[in-house]
Amino acid sequence: MSDAHDVARARALLRDARRLLVFTGAGVSAESGVPTFRGAGGLWKSFRAEELATPAAFARDPRLVWEWYAWRRTLVAACAPNAAHVAIARHAAAHPGTTVVTQNVDGLHQRAAADVAAHARGAAPVVALHGTLFGERCVRWPACPTRGALAPAVDASSVDTLPRCPACGALLRPDIVWFGEPLDPADLDAAFDAARGADACLVVGTSAVVQPAASVAAAAAHAGAPLVEVNAEATPLSALATVTLRGRAAEVVPAVLDRGRT
Ligand code: BV8
């Protein structure tokens, strides 16, 4: 856990923010049991991204790609939001100017926000830049508009059992942004608008290597927002941070966000 002085500095920077940008990566979900991408035991360690998270991979072997995503869905469905997700959701509910932008596709920020909204004011929106593990779209999208939570249970035992678009009969694919694919322009606009307008930025658990997502937090810093980084290790964003807190997200994020802590 980072030293008390740095935690106090971070709390002071975030406490009065009226337009806080929270930017997260896989590290915020690590303590929920969701494997990260590039750390020890990371998802990409077992598979090469090019093999699975690209349109070419899906065209080449849709069954293998669906097998990987169906396995991840089962794994993530058994996970729960951790104290970092909850602290962020509580802060966002109490501070309406907060925007949460995540690279994660696990839906844990959204679940934490829904849990908090059930007991407090409405949930702040979560911008999920890379899509969702729990949704699909037609492989012909946007030519074919089919998109949504259409196939909760996917049988990837053979190509013949893979989910098909109810409208046109083409394959359904995970509603995720793969490498080499553009992000949704509406999501990018929302993220960079929030970054340029932020009066503080909290970055949690990202290696900051994937673009254009990693530029969102940098945009906030370049627009003058003080940046607080919570990470287990140094990243390319550390040089832009006003305060860097080394430690586990589920321990550090509540310490810097929870109201009433001294
Ligand atoms: C695009 C969905 C252009 C998949 C993901 C060559 C060919 C094509 C493109 C490129 C290329 N070279 C570069 C590019 C650009 C590419 C890119 O950035 N590549 C990188 C690898 C160099 N980007 C793209 O392809 C993007 N699209 O450029 O399109 C375009 C434009 C117009 C028209 C056509 C094309 C799309 C990128 C999106 C890829 N999809 N995910 C899936 O999930 O299955 S990216 C993937 O990495 C995940 O989404 C993940 O979120 C993201 C970033 O990783 P992190 O979240 O940071 O996770 P990581 O494990 O790396 O780090 C975890 C961190 O947490 C670590 O720092 C660790 O220390 C810390 N940590 C761990 N535990 C804890 C902790 N911290 C605190 N507490 C803990 N307990």
Side-chain angles (χ1 to χ4, degrees):
M1 173 77 163
S2 289
D3 69 58
H5 173 67
D6 283 340
V7 170
R9 286 178 63 216
R11 283 181 63 80
L13 287 171
L14 301 177
R15 180 180 50 230
D16 303 327
R18 301 176 60 78
R19 298 178 310 283
L20 174 66
L21 167 65
V22 180
F23 181 77
T24 70
V28 77
S29 298
E31 286 142 285
S32 295
V34 180
T36 62
F37 285 83
R38 295 168 184 85
L43 282 169
W44 298 136
K45 287 274 186 291
S46 318
F47 303 94
R48 289 179 57 249
E50 292 70 22
E51 285 168 4
L52 297 167
T54 68
F58 189 78
R60 186 171 58 244
D61 191 343
R63 193 208 63 74
L64 173 65
V65 173
W66 261 122
E67 185 179 31
W68 188 50
Y69 280 97
W71 168 75
R72 286 174 65 194
R73 274 184 178 183
T74 304
L75 179 128
V76 171
C79 298
N82 64 55
H85 298 107
V86 174
I88 290 166
R90 284 185 179 145
H91 184 92
H95 300 79
T98 303
T99 303
V100 180
V101 176
T102 189
Q103 301 169 89
N104 300 342
V105 297
D106 57 32
L108 292 180
H109 281 301
Q110 294 91 327
R111 283 169 55 187
D115 293 346
V116 166
H119 305 91
R121 270 202 305 270
V126 175
V127 180
L129 290 176
H130 293 155
T132 174
L133 201 49
F134 299 99
E136 306 82 29
R137 65 179 193 239
C138 181
V139 72
R140 296 178 53 243
W141 188 85
C144 173
T146 302
R147 188 177 190 186
L150 305 160
V154 171
D155 176 356
S157 56
S158 91
V159 176
D160 299 333
T161 57
L162 293 180
R164 294 256 164 199
C165 172
C168 73
L171 282 171
L172 290 177
R173 56 164 279 182
D175 193 6
I176 280 194
V177 180
W178 282 331
F179 289 100
E181 292 189 316
L183 279 63
D184 184 324
D187 289 340
L188 278 176
D189 288 347
F192 280 99
D193 287 350
R196 284 187 284 267
D199 54 4
C201 179
L202 171 63
V203 181
V204 186
T206 182
S207 60
V209 297
V210 172
Q211 295 296 350
S215 297
V216 172
H222 293 143
L227 192 149
V228 173
E229 181 185 45
V230 175
N231 199 303
E233 60 192 12
T235 76
L237 286 174
S238 303
L240 294 174
T242 308
V243 181
T244 55
L245 301 172
R246 292 283 165 267
R248 295 182 299 105
E251 185 180 0
V252 176
V253 174
V256 297
L257 282 184
D258 282 359
R259 291 175 290 174
R261 289 199 186 200
T262 52

